[in-house]
Amino acid sequence: MKILILGAAGQIGRMLTERLLAETDHQLILYARNAVRRLHIQEPYREKIVSGDFEDTATLAQAMQDVDLVFLNDMTYPEPTQNIIEVMKQEKKSWIICASVLGIYDEVVGEFGKWNVRMVGQRAVNRHKESARIVETSGLHYTLLRLTWLYNQKGNENYEISQKGEPFTGAQVTREAVVRLIMDILSDPEKYRNNSLGVVEPNTNWSKPSFY
């Protein structure tokens, strides 16, 4: 399999790259702004670095050549998300995994929900909501990950998922756990196809994350 990681210089992008290189034989296209300066090749026969942004449709199209899966690590703004989806359709690519945020369906309940809106801001949530709508109505095979508040803790890969329409209650989850979930999706894509998943750490139904 050949995987295009959009936003490969971010923390989750880097962790996912390391995990894929260590545990699979997949080929990777690592796409990021100033990627040549920010990233380095570990396995030349399996990795390729592409510098570009999500507005650059020509570079995106070139990076998608022979790709089986697109992983999108940033859905902050709808316009770039729309560009990516349009290029995928143009290049006849059909599978995308996207990382978004909690609250795009007003599904975060209780005191944590109120705290989350104060911290993130309704305008930012609305932008993510529109990006998610673009993906969900694209006609592509997608898995949308609605991530709660992120932190790092090596060895902590504990996660649980909720479905669209269910309350979202977990206040935190590690980036390591998110990468573990992505690896699980890759191993059984049909199980997660065309789903929007809330992603949390078990037993973190708190009013805010522990690191705040």
Side-chain angles (χ1 to χ4, degrees):
M1 182 186 296
K2 183 179 283 188
I3 300 172
L4 171 60
I5 300 178
L6 298 175
Q11 290 191 65
I12 288 177
R14 290 175 185 268
M15 289 180 183
L16 180 60
T17 298
E18 293 283 347
R19 197 70 177 262
L20 288 167
L21 291 175
E23 298 183 15
T24 76
D25 59 0
H26 299 325
Q27 294 180 302
L28 308 179
I29 310 296
L30 308 178
Y31 190 105
R33 290 180 178 174
N34 303 311
V36 173
R37 179 170 55 83
R38 299 166 69 193
L39 300 171
H40 67 277
I41 294 290
Q42 301 177 64
E43 297 192 25
Y45 296 103
R46 295 178 57 196
E47 297 175 273
K48 179 181 178 182
I49 290 175
V50 178
S51 291
D53 59 36
F54 299 163
E55 307 288 347
D56 187 348
T57 55
T59 303
L60 280 169
Q62 186 62 36
M64 284 186 194
Q65 299 302 305
D66 302 319
V67 159
D68 302 293
L69 165 69
V70 175
F71 172 66
L72 174 57
N73 196 28
D74 183 358
M75 299 178 69
T76 305
Y77 294 97
E79 294 82 2
T81 303
Q82 184 70 58
N83 285 341
I84 292 161
I85 295 300
E86 289 179 358
V87 173
M88 287 186 68
K89 290 181 176 180
Q90 169 191 311
E91 298 300 317
K92 296 180 170 54
K93 308 303 174 187
S94 61
W95 185 15
I96 185 167
I97 300 173
C98 316
S100 185
V101 299
L102 69 170
I104 60 173
Y105 310 125
D106 301 317
E107 77 279 24
V108 189
V109 298
E111 290 303 313
F112 177 49
K114 297 175 186 176
W115 180 89
N116 182 68
V117 171
R118 288 199 304 271
M119 295 295 287
V120 176
Q122 192 60 54
R123 290 178 66 183
V125 171
N126 289 343
R127 291 196 299 267
H128 279 274
K129 183 182 296 188
E130 177 60 17
S131 286
R133 186 198 65 79
I134 289 167
V135 171
E136 291 178 296
T137 60
S138 66
L140 303 179
H141 297 309
Y142 69 87
T143 307
L144 185 65
L145 306 179
R146 290 173 283 121
L147 307 179
T148 191
W149 288 74
L150 297 167
Y151 73 109
N152 296 335
Q153 187 176 75
K154 191 172 182 179
N156 182 353
E157 298 183 356
N158 298 319
Y159 72 82
E160 62 183 14
I161 57 177
S162 58
Q163 301 295 326
K164 183 176 181 178
E166 297 177 343
F168 191 116
T169 57
Q172 64 188 47
V173 71
T174 67
R175 292 179 178 87
E176 290 85 350
V178 173
V179 172
R180 175 71 266 165
L181 172 57
I182 295 168
M183 298 294 289
D184 291 344
I185 293 169
L186 293 177
S187 68
D188 190 3
E190 290 295 330
K191 179 179 178 181
Y192 301 95
R193 179 164 289 180
N194 297 340
N195 280 329
S196 176
L197 305 176
V199 186
V200 305
E201 184 175 326
N203 303 313
T204 61
N205 185 11
W206 307 324
S207 60
K208 61 181 181 179
S210 64
F211 42 87
Y212 273 89

